[in-house]
Amino acid sequence: NCGPVAFFLPEFRGRNAESGTPDLAAYLMLHDINAWPIWSDAQTWNRLYEILDAYDMPNAQFQPYWQDSGVRAAPQVLVSSYVGSAGVILAAMNTGEATDAQLVVDLQRLRLSRISTAIDVLRNEPLTVVENALTVSLARHQGRVILVKP
């Protein structure tokens, strides 16, 4: 135990709450940080927590981008992974300009036999899957929370 759990306190106002919360959720998951979900879009947080619970992510193994997360991507795209018993969640963040990123998944490291589907759970957007690679369109500084199913 390293002390109390830290929380991030977002402070979005007006229309920024709805548009900024999905990117913030991805950024915080990228670093395994919890949010105190006030002054942001509650529906986004509720959707995220429902998915995390449904796929047993509270018991998942966190593999951060600064170590071997099991995903290779362009240097401007950071990806952390949560390996759970029912699937994998990827937190991806584009630190640069807009790009169509290729996320190449190490199936063995993420304990997957294959990838059947991948979806951005906060935007309900299916992603293109070819073998062990996902194609993800990322706007400038955009984040994604991606559910990968075997």
Side-chain angles (χ1 to χ4, degrees):
N1 189 338
C2 297
V5 175
F7 283 89
F8 183 86
L9 182 63
E11 290 193 37
F12 291 120
R13 302 282 190 241
R15 66 183 177 92
N16 293 327
E18 189 174 330
S19 64
T21 302
D23 294 334
L24 177 64
Y27 184 77
L28 294 178
M29 284 192 69
L30 186 72
H31 297 93
D32 200 27
I33 296 173
N34 295 306
W36 192 280
I38 59 174
W39 297 318
S40 57
D41 184 37
Q43 291 180 354
T44 298
W45 295 115
N46 290 341
R47 172 83 175 130
L48 176 64
Y49 297 144
E50 287 169 4
I51 293 293
L52 295 178
D53 288 345
Y55 287 90
D56 195 32
M57 288 302 140
N59 297 313
Q61 177 189 9
F62 175 63
Q63 297 177 173
Y65 71 89
W66 60 89
Q67 294 177 356
D68 182 5
S69 71
V71 180
R72 284 181 293 127
Q76 76 183 45
V77 179
L78 306 177
V79 182
S80 293
S81 59
Y82 293 79
V83 181
S85 59
V88 172
I89 296 277
L90 304 178
M93 192 74 198
N94 179 15
T95 63
E97 298 302 319
T99 184
D100 286 329
Q102 287 288 109
L103 307 183
V104 180
V105 175
D106 180 338
L107 297 175
Q108 184 176 358
R109 175 124 174 96
L110 298 186
R111 292 185 258 160
L112 294 167
S113 56
R114 65 187 189 98
I115 301 173
S116 64
T117 60
I119 186 168
D120 179 331
V121 297
L122 299 182
R123 294 174 177 89
N124 201 27
E125 182 182 320
L127 305 177
T128 302
V129 178
V130 177
E131 295 181 9
N132 67 325
L134 313 175
T135 301
V136 183
S137 292
L138 292 163
R140 182 177 186 267
H141 298 168
Q142 183 181 32
R144 301 272 194 154
V145 178
I146 303 163
L147 172 63
V148 179
K149 291 185 186 180

